Each structure stands twice: as structure tokens, then as C-alpha cells.
Amino acid sequence: MSELMEIAARLDAAMFNATATPQLGDTLSVADAYRVQEASMARRYARGERRVGIKMGFTSRAKMAQMGVDAMIWGRLTDAMLVEDGGAVRFSAYVHPRVEPEIAFLLKAPLPRTVTPAGALAAVGGVAAALEIIDSRYENFKFSLTDVIADNSSSSGFVIGPWADPAIDLSNLGMIMEIDGQPRQIGSSAAILGNPLRSLVAAARLAHDAGEPLGAGDIVMAGGATAAEHLSVGNHVRLVVSRLGRVEFRVG
């Protein structure tokens, strides 16, 4: 167990100092990788950060195939990771920053472990266009599945647009992510498991199994709808989602 704590400390230091760290390799099991993630995040909580929800990963079938996996992954979101809509982030705070377009949910009621999409929707107080800033802390942006999980599933920041009525049909919303005014990724919410609500259902199960059931006030990022794009100093990123609106931020 001490080895896992040492890995957690190393990854936490890499995140805190925005410095690359060597790969962990394939020696970790998935269960141990999640233990490392939990321990690494505990260090952040001890410094004053507060968990505000979770992010889902590998919710796109194409992404699963690319990584050679058949299951989703997840990570924790904290209040320190939240970027104000229209605000700015420091490029120097990251190692290999990228951004991807997502859909975010805000819960108004707890979610049980097993819930139907309709049941999950009933617990949603708002839905919004969102952008996730992902950042692998590994050298040369090379990593295994368990490397990613241990590194909080690469989650580093998130930006959420205005909350909208969750009664909107989320199954096929057009999504355009622009960088510096130029469309860079065009996709649909259908890429998120056919409907982002299915990601929310999976999130309820995964969070419950980890002893952190989703409750009122929690935010769930449903997963990337397209490939991620590199970020550079000076970039202005904007996502427009049909019927949901827009969300944006700048890189300083």
C-alpha cells in the first residue's frame, strides 16, 4: 500500500507543480489505479479543495476503440478546477493541456446506484454546454489506461455555460467547438453513448461503487463528444451547443 501512496504523492506533485512525470507502466491493476487516484485527490482535499462532482471518460465508442478498452473511466471534480464561463486559465498551470466539448449535468436530488435514464433525468436540475480541460502529467503525453485512471482520468479543469431546462431532448444536439474563431471540432451529443443521459446513469453506478454516491448539487461531466484539441497561450475557446447555448474561456 505504501507504494500506491508514493505514486499518489508523485502524481499530486506533478499536478501541483505542472511538471511532467514518467509513466507508471502496466504494473498497476485498474483497482489499484483508482486507489492511487483516490489517495492523490485526498491530498488535494487536505489542502482545502472540495469535491463537487465527477467526470466521465471513454464515453465515446470511437475513444474506447482507440484506447483498446471496453469500459468507461471516471475522475473527481473539485471547486478549484472550476473555471468561470468567459474567464481565463494560465497555460503555465498545465503540462499538456487539451480541451474537449461536453455536456454537463447539475443534480437537484441524489442518484441511487441503479437508475434508469428517465429516473436520472428526474434528478437533474439543469443541463449545460461545457468544456473540459484535460491534462496528462506524463512525459511525452504517453500513458497506459491505468496511468490515466491514476492521474484523475486526466481531468484538470472544467467550464460550464448557463444552466438550461433538462427537459430538452439531449440525444442529438449539434456541437461546434471553435478555437480563435475557427471551427475545430464539429459533432453531436449522440457521440456520448448515444445520449448523455446514459453517461449519467453510468456515473451513478461508478460513484456509488466507490463510496461516493452522487447527491444534490453534484456536477457530472458526461464525457467528450469529439476528439480533444491542443491549447496554446492566447487561445480563445468557444463551444456552441444547439438548444443549450454556449460556453467559452481564454488561455493566458
Side-chain angles (χ1 to χ4, degrees), residues 179-203:
I179 297 182
D180 300 332
Q182 299 298 314
R184 295 287 284 273
Q185 291 290 339
I186 298 174
S188 165
S189 59
I192 307 171
L193 296 179
N195 188 320
L197 279 172
R198 293 187 181 128
S199 180
L200 184 60
V201 168

Side-chain angles (χ1 to χ4, degrees), residues 121-143:
L121 180 60
V124 174
V127 62
L131 291 161
E132 184 181 13
I133 301 167
I134 57 175
D135 184 29
S136 171
R137 265 66 65 155
Y138 297 109
E139 292 175 349
N140 303 313
F141 203 71
K142 293 182 179 180
F143 40 76

Side-chain angles (χ1 to χ4, degrees), residues 10-41:
R10 172 153 69 92
L11 290 176
D12 178 59
M15 180 283 305
F16 188 80
N17 298 310
T19 55
T21 191
Q23 274 187 267
L24 306 180
D26 297 319
T27 57
L28 285 183
S29 66
V30 168
D32 278 347
Y34 276 115
R35 291 186 183 100
V36 170
Q37 181 190 133
E38 181 179 12
S40 180
M41 295 304 294

